[in-house]
Amino acid sequence: MTNPSKITEGGVEFSIGTFDGNAVTYDFKKILIYLDAKGKLLFGKHFKIYEEDHNIIMKLCHYFIKDIENCERNDIDPNKGILLSGPVGCGKTSLMRLLKFIVPHQRPYVLVPSRNIVFGFNHIGYKTIEDYGCSQFFCFDDLGIEPIGRHYAKDCNVMGEILLSRYEFFLNHNIKTHATTNLNAEELEELYGNRVRSRMRLLFNLIAFDKHTNDKRK
């Protein structure tokens, strides 16, 4: 039996907890060490885990490892997806690319920039919306900054339509959707409308960086 508390990266074995044969008891400090190493492999040696982000990362870890007690304490429903919000450059995309690696035994999600989906719609039309209304788990990156779609002179709020489709799949088949966004709740509602916004409340757990979080790309 493989040991889910051990992960090998670049020939180095990392421990992220202890495994008793049935369940993993995770160790947050060990997870941080692993995430820092994996981040450097993915994003380059400049990558680092910032102490100011530990609280956000801990909440995300509780979600991904399905720590029910801590999820309840933080009002997180492990059956829903994650909407990770925060200012430009705070590290949302990196964390969503990174966190899935601590649970390699779980079904992975594919991270897709929202603007690329709209460009696809502009090129091939409504089949793009159908393609994302499927059983694949997705994380839609930078939700809300994509342009309005336009195909054969018809405008379409592409991501709004996809979120409605994803909601139906979530209700009927428990298919999860994650997203990152720079926008707040009011801005999302203005962009997608009240109907989509109400579905988003049911689709997502909102985990938010402080609005004053530094831009780590500077």
Side-chain angles (χ1 to χ4, degrees):
M1 178 187 292
T2 57
N3 184 341
S5 72
K6 308 281 187 192
I7 303 175
T8 301
E9 296 287 353
V12 179
E13 184 179 79
F14 293 88
S15 169
I16 58 173
T18 55
F19 181 54
D20 65 4
N22 292 308
V24 177
T25 302
Y26 289 93
D27 183 318
F28 185 61
K29 288 182 180 177
K30 290 180 177 179
I31 289 175
L32 288 176
I33 291 168
Y34 167 70
L35 290 175
D36 188 68
K38 181 64 175 178
K40 285 178 169 60
L41 285 173
L42 281 177
F43 310 120
K45 63 179 186 292
H46 62 278
F47 177 84
K48 65 178 285 190
I49 298 287
Y50 291 83
E51 190 171 348
E52 68 198 58
D53 297 337
H54 283 189
N55 187 46
I56 288 280
I57 295 170
M58 188 180 287
K59 287 181 183 178
L60 290 168
C61 286
H62 290 154
Y63 170 82
F64 280 107
I65 67 176
K66 294 184 167 65
D67 182 335
I68 302 301
E69 188 177 318
N70 276 306
C71 281
E72 286 180 357
R73 192 173 293 142
N74 289 293
D75 199 24
I76 293 170
D77 182 346
N79 296 308
K80 297 183 352 184
I82 292 290
L83 177 62
L84 186 58
S85 75
V88 172
C90 67
K92 302 180 295 295
T93 302
S94 297
L95 285 179
M96 290 306 287
R97 285 184 61 188
L98 197 52
L99 264 294
K100 62 183 178 180
F101 290 103
I102 67 172
V103 283
H105 52 288
Q106 289 185 21
R107 184 176 175 183
Y109 51 85
V110 178
L111 189 139
V112 191
S114 298
R115 59 186 291 116
N116 289 8
I117 297 173
V118 175
F119 294 153
F121 172 86
N122 294 346
H123 183 58
I124 64 171
Y126 287 87
K127 183 179 184 302
T128 301
I129 294 173
E130 293 172 17
D131 288 346
Y132 286 96
C134 68
S135 59
Q136 173 67 57
F137 286 15
F138 288 107
C139 177
F140 299 128
D141 193 32
D142 276 337
L143 185 68
I145 67 163
E146 75 279 355
I148 285 288
R150 191 168 178 80
H151 186 67
Y152 286 123
K154 286 189 176 179
D155 287 351
C156 177
N157 192 326
V158 177
M159 292 310 301
E161 292 297 325
I162 287 173
L163 288 171
L164 291 174
S165 295
R166 299 296 298 178
Y167 173 73
E168 294 300 325
F169 263 80
F170 170 67
L171 275 190
N172 298 321
H173 306 288
N174 199 28
I175 302 300
K176 285 184 183 176
T177 304
H178 307 298
T180 72
T181 186
N182 302 333
L183 306 185
N184 61 34
E186 292 74 25
E187 290 167 326
L188 287 167
E189 183 165 333
E190 187 177 329
L191 188 65
Y192 296 121
N194 179 260
R195 182 169 172 240
V196 173
R197 173 69 187 130
S198 67
R199 301 295 190 275
M200 289 176 73
R201 290 190 188 98
L202 300 170
L203 262 181
F204 297 121
N205 296 285
L206 176 62
I207 296 181
F209 280 87
D210 186 277
K211 64 182 179 180
H212 300 300
T213 303
N214 291 330
D215 186 341
K216 299 175 179 71
R217 297 182 296 198
K218 289 182 177 176

